[in-house]
Structure formats: C-alpha cells, structure tokens
C-alpha cells in the first residue's frame, strides 16, 4: 500500500506545449478573397451567361473545399498527440479502476456484514423494549436508515420509543373501546364478536352507530313479523280446538288451553292483558 504514496499527480511525467499553427499567407489570402467578394457583389446571373455563372460557382466551391480540407488535415495532425495522450491516460486509469473496484468489492462485503449485524442488534433492542411495554414488536415500522452506520444509536432508540408510546396509547384506547362495545352489545342483546372484529378497523363512534342501526332494523323486522302474524291469526276461523283458513278450509293452528292463576300488581295485570291482546290470545276470568 505504501507504493501508492509514491505517485503524485502533480509530478506526472508529462511535458507539453500548446499546438502552434502558423498561417503565414492568411493576410494575403484574406485580401484576395475580400477583393473577389467585392467584385462579385454586383454580379447577377443572366440567361445569356448562365454557363459562365455555373463555372464561377463551381470554382468558388472547389476553392472553399480545398481550404476546408486543408484545415481538417492540419487539425488532425495537431490533435494526434492529444489523442495519443488520452489513450495512454485511459489505459492507466482503467488499470487503477480495476484495483480500486477489487478493493471496493471487498469493503462492501464487510460493510454489508456490519450492516446486517446492526440490523440484528436493532431488532433485539426493539423486541426487548416492546416486551417491556407489552406491545407487538411486529407493529414497529422499521426505518431502513436505522441500519446505516451514520444513524446514531440515540436517534434510533428515540425513534423506537416514540413508536412504542403510540402503540401503548392505541392499545389502551382499544381496550377501553372493547369494554364500551361489549357493554352496548349486552344492553342491546346483540352478539359481541362481530362488532369487536369491526372495531379493529373502524372508529368506535362508527361501530356504536352501526350497532344502534342494526338493533333498530331487528326491532323493525320483529314488529313487522309480529303484526303480520296477528293479522293472519285474526283472519282465521275457530272450529272446535282448531283455527281454519275460511277460504281454503286448511287447518292452520291447533288451539291449546292452559289454566293458570296469575298474581301481580294492578299495573302488572294491565301489562299482561295488553300483551295477550297484542298477540291475539283470548282469555277469560275463572
């Protein structure tokens, strides 16, 4: 590795001098072309001298091409040392790149291993802290930046603590909401399991409103069924101990007679009479 220190870019063994191109006849040629240009300013091609005009234009184009070709040739000659120098430098840098890449690949192996170890340690820390807080470690939103060696330990731990605090609060809120939903389900005489599942994905207010609406729908259905049943009972005709459809003669129900003695307050008796009447049950005093 010490050999690298011996190389100094500033002392690269290369000497150069700017390319020098001497265009000695430029002024004379410029003067001739200026004179030619001036003489052709008022020139106009006519049908009579069209052949001569084409000849003149061809000579001008040939002259221009000769100048430009000479320019390209001189430029190529002047750039040849530069091209050769670039190729040599490219050879040197390519060889250096090969060594640098090899070392870089080896560094990546160790950096990847170190990053994996940091990740594992972070997971262990998260698991331990979540166990203390009695929350699920899988609910922690892992930030990939935590695995970087530039990410400080304090910043990582603070970020985890903030997420755990949120999870603890959510857990406490959920437990309280479960209690509320369970109490409401009991009061409304509804199975609680479905509503607890809904509580996992919906706000408490929405769940309670849905429970009230569902109970109201059940009551409405029960009332409709009850009214339909009473109406059907009233349309039947009693023959002996049977209720018969007067239109079809079909026996729909068989009557039962129960003798019992009832004891209660006046209000309770009124409620009982109302119930019997509402349900189409005939009764008489004994």
């Amino acid at each position: 590795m010490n050999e690298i220190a011996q190389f100094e870019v500033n002392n690269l063994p290369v000497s150069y001098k700017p390319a020098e191109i001497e265009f000695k006849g430029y002024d004379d040629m410029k003067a001739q072309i200026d004179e030619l240009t001036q003489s052709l300013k008022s020139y106009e091609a006519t049908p009579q001298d069209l052949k001569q005009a084409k000849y003149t234009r061809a000579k001008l184009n040939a002259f221009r091409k000769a100048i430009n070709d000479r320019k390209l040739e001189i430029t190529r000659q002047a750039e040849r040392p530069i091209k050769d120098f670039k190729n040599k430098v490219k050879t040197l840098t390519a060889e250096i790149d090969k060594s640098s890449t090899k070392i870089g690949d080896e560094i990546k192996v160790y950096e990847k291993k170190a990053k994996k170890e940091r990740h594992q340690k972070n997971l262990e820390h998260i698991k331990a802290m979540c166990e203390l807080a009695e929350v699920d470690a899988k609910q922690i939103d892992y930030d990939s930046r935590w695995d970087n060696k530039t990410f400080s330990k304090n910043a990582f731990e603070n970020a985890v603590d903030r997420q755990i605090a949120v999870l603890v609060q959510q857990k406490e809120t959920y437990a309280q909401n479960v209690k509320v939903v369970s109490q409401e389900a009991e009061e409304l005489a509804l199975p609680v399991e479905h509503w607890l599942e809904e509580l996992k994905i919906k706000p408490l207010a929405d769940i309670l409103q849905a429970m009230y609406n569902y109970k109201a729908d059940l009551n409405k259905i029960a009332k409709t069924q009850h009214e339909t049943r009473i109406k059907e009972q009233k349309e039947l005709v009693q023959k002996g101990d049977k209720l018969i459809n007067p239109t079809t003669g079909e026996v729909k129900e068989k009557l039962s007679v129960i003798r019992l003695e009832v004891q209660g307050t006046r209000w309770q008796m009124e409620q009982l009479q109302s119930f019997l009447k509402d349900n189409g049950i005939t009764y008489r005093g004994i």
Side-chain angles (χ1 to χ4, degrees):
M1 299 296 289
N2 292 332
E3 292 83 351
I4 297 177
Q6 299 176 5
F7 289 96
E8 293 290 341
V9 176
N10 292 334
N11 296 328
L12 194 66
V14 176
S15 61
Y16 73 96
K17 55 183 177 180
E20 183 177 342
I21 300 175
E22 186 176 357
F23 198 163
K24 293 182 178 180
Y26 174 77
D27 292 337
D28 291 340
M29 183 173 288
K30 180 69 167 60
Q32 293 177 22
I33 293 175
D34 288 346
E35 183 179 351
L36 177 62
T37 301
Q38 187 65 31
S39 66
L40 293 174
K41 271 188 176 182
S42 58
Y43 180 81
E44 292 184 5
T46 64
Q48 291 75 19
D49 63 354
L50 190 59
K51 184 176 180 180
Q52 180 62 37
K54 290 181 178 180
Y55 174 78
T56 302
R57 184 188 64 178
K59 293 289 287 184
L60 289 172
N61 290 342
F63 183 39
R64 180 192 180 284
K65 184 177 183 303
I67 294 175
N68 194 63
D69 289 347
R70 183 59 176 156
K71 177 203 71 173
L72 295 175
E73 176 61 25
I74 293 173
T75 301
R76 280 194 293 269
Q77 293 296 331
E79 290 178 347
R80 185 172 296 170
I82 296 176
K83 184 177 180 181
D84 180 62
F85 173 69
K86 286 183 177 180
N87 289 336
K88 289 179 179 178
V89 170
K90 185 177 181 180
T91 300
L92 296 175
T93 55
E95 191 169 349
I96 294 172
D97 288 343
K98 187 183 298 184
S99 299
S100 177
T101 300
K102 178 180 179 297
I103 296 174
D105 290 341
E106 294 173 355
I107 292 173
K108 287 179 181 178
V109 172
Y110 289 101
E111 288 183 340
K112 186 176 181 180
K113 180 181 178 182
K115 189 173 184 178
K116 186 176 181 180
E117 291 174 352
R118 284 193 298 272
H119 181 77
Q120 186 59 37
K121 288 182 179 179
N122 289 345
L123 291 179
E124 292 173 358
H125 175 79
I126 291 172
K127 181 181 178 181
M129 298 305 295
C130 286
E131 287 178 352
L132 289 175
E134 297 183 346
V135 295
D136 187 0
K138 294 180 181 178
Q139 292 183 285
I140 296 295
D141 185 14
Y142 197 94
D143 189 338
S144 60
R145 295 179 303 165
W146 295 346
D147 295 338
N148 297 335
K149 63 180 180 181
T150 55
F151 204 93
S152 72
K153 182 179 179 181
N154 287 339
F156 158 68
E157 292 179 352
N158 289 337
V160 172
D161 289 344
R162 286 193 294 271
Q163 288 199 40
I164 290 177
V166 172
L167 292 175
V168 170
Q169 181 60 48
Q170 290 176 346
K171 182 179 179 181
E172 293 174 351
T173 300
Y174 179 75
Q176 182 61 33
N177 291 347
V178 167
K179 184 177 180 181
V180 172
V181 170
S182 299
Q183 291 175 346
E184 288 298 322
E186 183 177 357
E187 292 180 9
L188 296 173
L190 297 176
V192 72
E193 291 78 10
H194 167 74
W195 306 108
L196 292 182
E197 285 297 319
E198 289 287 292
L199 186 61
K200 294 178 181 179
I201 57 176
K202 295 180 181 179
L204 175 63
D206 291 352
I207 300 300
L208 294 177
Q209 188 60 54
M211 293 174 71
Y212 300 147
N213 293 342
Y214 182 70
K215 183 61 177 179
D217 290 340
L218 289 180
N219 291 339
K220 185 177 180 180
I221 293 172
K223 182 180 179 182
T224 301
Q225 291 176 340
H226 177 73
E227 291 174 348
T228 301
R229 181 69 171 168
I230 295 299
K231 181 181 178 182
E232 291 175 349
Q233 289 285 334
K234 288 181 178 180
E235 292 175 350
L236 299 177
V237 176
Q238 181 176 350
K239 286 189 177 182
D241 62 348
K242 297 180 178 62
L243 293 177
I244 300 174
N245 186 317
T247 303
T248 64
E250 179 186 0
V251 176
K252 303 296 291 184
E253 298 283 352
K254 184 176 181 181
L255 297 175
S256 299
V257 178
I258 299 176
R259 289 181 174 82
L260 71 159
E261 182 178 317
V262 180
Q263 182 178 356
T265 64
R266 180 179 181 82
W267 179 83
Q268 289 174 327
M269 293 303 164
E270 290 175 350
Q271 293 297 310
L272 177 58
Q273 288 176 341
S274 177
F275 172 79
L276 295 173
K277 182 179 179 181
D278 290 343
N279 287 275
I281 301 174
T282 59
Y283 62 93
R284 62 186 176 85
I286 55 174

